[in-house]
Amino acid sequence: MATERRAEQQIQAISPSMRSRVAPFLAMETFKEAARLADTGRSIVRLEAGEPGAPAPRPAREAARRLIESGRIGYTQALGLPSLRARIARHYRDAYGVSIDADRIAVTTGSSGGFVLSFLALFEAGARVAIAAPGYPAYRNILEALGIEVVTIATRAENRHAVTAADIETLHAQTPLDGVLLMSPGNPTGTMMSDQSLAEVARLCDRLGVRFVSDEIYHGLTYDRPAQTALAYSDHAIVVNSFSKYFCMTGWRIGWLVLPPSLVSTVERLSQSFAISAPAISQVAAEAAFDGMEELEAVKASYARNRAMLAQELPAIGLGDYSPIDGAFYVYVDVSRLTNDSMEFCKRMLHEAGVAATPGLDFDRERGAHAVRFSFAGAENDVAEGVKRLRAWLGR
Ligand SMILES: Cc1ncc(COP(=O)(O)O)c(C=O)c1O
């Protein structure tokens, strides 16, 4: 008995590695608390989650059902099903007019899996990689867990939160960078870089020998103009993308990388060891999702209506201080007139108004206490109900 207790104490005493001490997603904390309240029977409007309310398109679900019925679901090649890789390559021709060899595509477990593989393939421990703030919090967490130094570029609302080639050149001149990781449209801001700015960044990175990773996960979800891929401007850019957002397939955990040819076999070997392959069923469903574009465009049209409604309503309830929503399904509101503690503000909003949103501190450790992200990827009625509750809560 005493021996068992001693063994148990020893197990409890094992402390985690320093590099695994990444910050939790506050969004997930809000997500859990909102779910807990909803479970107790409270009506909560969920504007915190960064995922579509709509299901995967019907052809994707049917393809998955057929595969389940066929019985056997095995591993695939580490880089993914050849037919899916070919279909993704075709997508580049159709959507961007850019010709990409299917051999350059690696299918991954969500873009999240793609980050780990591409960062390992690109950077040594101790490398310096620049990211924007506000930005997607997992970038910092994954990079730091891999022993990579994160250099933060604080963006400005008046500049549409864009990182410019000049920003990168200045930073690089101070202490050389090894990589730059950017996204457009952005999470949490929904703003986009201009094509020219993207081209300048891609070309500058090539000139400086800095690796440019372009997270294009919100492509397809743009409201005024389409987003161009970094591949249109550089063959050296590494593109990360996913079926999670436009294709409404978050839980299927399926994404892809477009790699320079020189990195393909490296990523293949890493994938063999890290995941063996992305889930076969999700790969089959993802390939079929390309046949569900009509449904997906209808989902996007509902986001566009939510966006238009918010543009009208948010200023009227004192939440009008945000950058133009060029894409994605987020609005990142400056709430500094209402609070200097976005965490506390979101907690009160959840408990008192029954509306869940994400505190800006997730996205910007320095300035996020003054900002809140609302997601409008849910049903139109829910978003309208959320605004109604906020109006009453804020006394407007
Ligand atoms: C900018 C950005 N990149 C990547 C991801 C990860 O998505 P997934 O792993 O589902 O492809 C997210 C999720 O919210 C995101 O906002």
Side-chain angles (χ1 to χ4, degrees):
M1 213 40 200
T3 332
E4 266 174 34
R5 205 169 307 125
R6 249 199 321 277
E8 206 175 283
Q9 276 167 355
Q10 266 170 7
I11 288 170
Q12 279 170 358
I14 293 175
S15 56
S17 67
M18 287 303 288
R19 64 177 172 176
S20 64
R21 292 183 184 180
V22 300
F25 273 18
L26 298 176
M28 284 301 171
E29 300 297 310
T30 326
F31 191 86
K32 274 195 278 185
E33 181 61 2
R36 192 189 66 75
L37 287 176
D39 281 348
T40 66
R42 269 210 60 188
S43 147
I44 303 293
V45 178
R46 310 288 299 265
L47 305 181
E48 86 286 15
E51 62 176 344
R58 185 173 293 278
R61 285 178 282 140
E62 280 170 359
R65 191 173 304 123
R66 278 196 301 277
L67 187 66
I68 290 177
E69 277 159 13
S70 80
R72 185 169 183 284
I73 299 170
Y75 296 132
T76 70
Q77 292 176 22
L79 290 174
L81 289 171
S83 56
L84 173 58
R85 296 169 72 201
R87 186 63 192 82
I88 293 170
R90 194 178 118 200
H91 173 65
Y92 280 87
R93 275 196 304 280
D94 298 347
Y96 306 102
V98 172
S99 169
I100 298 291
D101 195 316
D103 290 346
R104 289 176 57 191
I105 290 162
V107 177
T108 57
T109 46
S111 65
S112 305
F115 290 130
V116 178
L117 293 170
S118 57
F119 298 166
L120 278 168
L122 285 169
F123 305 120
E124 303 296 349
R128 284 165 45 84
V129 175
I131 59 172
Y136 179 52
Y139 292 163
R140 171 183 299 281
N141 294 346
I142 301 173
L143 288 164
E144 287 183 350
L146 295 176
I148 295 163
E149 186 189 338
V150 174
V151 182
T152 308
I153 304 176
T155 59
R156 292 177 305 280
E158 52 292 3
N159 201 12
R160 264 189 156 81
H161 289 286
V163 170
T164 62
D167 293 330
I168 295 166
E169 199 157 23
T170 309
L171 265 183
H172 187 72
Q174 286 160 2
T175 315
L177 292 169
D178 298 286
V180 172
L181 163 60
L182 298 179
M183 61 182 146
S184 169
N187 174 10
T189 61
T191 52
M192 275 167 79
M193 294 168 80
S194 67
D195 289 356
Q196 191 190 335
S197 191
L198 180 66
E200 283 168 6
V201 167
R203 289 178 185 139
L204 174 78
C205 286
D206 280 356
R207 184 160 65 73
L208 299 176
V210 169
R211 313 293 178 226
F212 178 39
V213 182
S214 177
D215 179 354
E216 303 187 348
I217 189 169
Y218 292 104
H219 279 209
L221 296 176
T222 62
Y223 302 105
D224 297 325
R225 63 180 174 88
Q228 183 53 288
T229 173
L231 299 165
Y233 308 115
S234 167
D235 285 336
H236 301 294
I238 291 90
V239 164
V240 186
N241 209 324
S242 173
F243 289 91
S244 288
K245 309 293 174 164
Y246 176 78
F247 293 92
C248 301
M249 294 179 72
T250 44
W252 299 75
R253 309 308 305 128
I254 188 83
W256 74 87
L257 294 168
V258 185
L259 299 158
S262 59
L263 284 184
V264 173
S265 70
T266 305
V267 167
E268 181 176 23
R269 278 182 282 109
L270 288 167
S271 326
Q272 286 165 353
S273 290
F274 273 64
I276 302 186
S277 71
I281 190 164
S282 304
Q283 295 193 49
V284 168
E287 189 177 335
F290 285 104
D291 298 329
M293 291 296 200
E294 217 173 293
E295 266 178 71
L296 295 170
E297 284 300 307
V299 174
K300 179 176 156 183
S302 78
Y303 302 155
R305 287 192 292 276
N306 283 340
R307 170 181 178 261
M309 187 269 286
L310 290 173
Q312 204 167 2
E313 299 294 330
L314 288 180
I317 61 173
L319 296 174
D321 196 354
Y322 59 85
S323 306
I325 313 164
D326 301 322
F329 36 56
Y330 305 115
V331 53
Y332 191 60
V333 180
D334 183 333
V335 288
S336 48
R337 275 196 232 117
L338 300 167
T339 185
N340 56 12
D341 183 350
S342 58
M343 190 70 208
E344 174 61 21
F345 185 76
C346 284
K347 268 192 201 142
R348 281 200 291 115
M349 193 194 306
L350 177 61
H351 287 272
E352 295 168 15
V355 175
T358 307
L361 283 169
D362 242 354
F363 311 105
D364 189 337
R365 290 179 178 181
E366 302 295 322
R367 301 169 298 170
H370 300 282
V372 171
R373 186 195 76 176
F374 296 93
S375 162
F376 56 88
E380 287 171 69
N381 285 346
D382 289 344
V383 179
E385 174 63 21
V387 170
K388 193 172 128 202
R389 291 183 186 191
L390 289 175
R391 179 192 298 280
W393 186 58
L394 295 166
R396 294 295 180 132

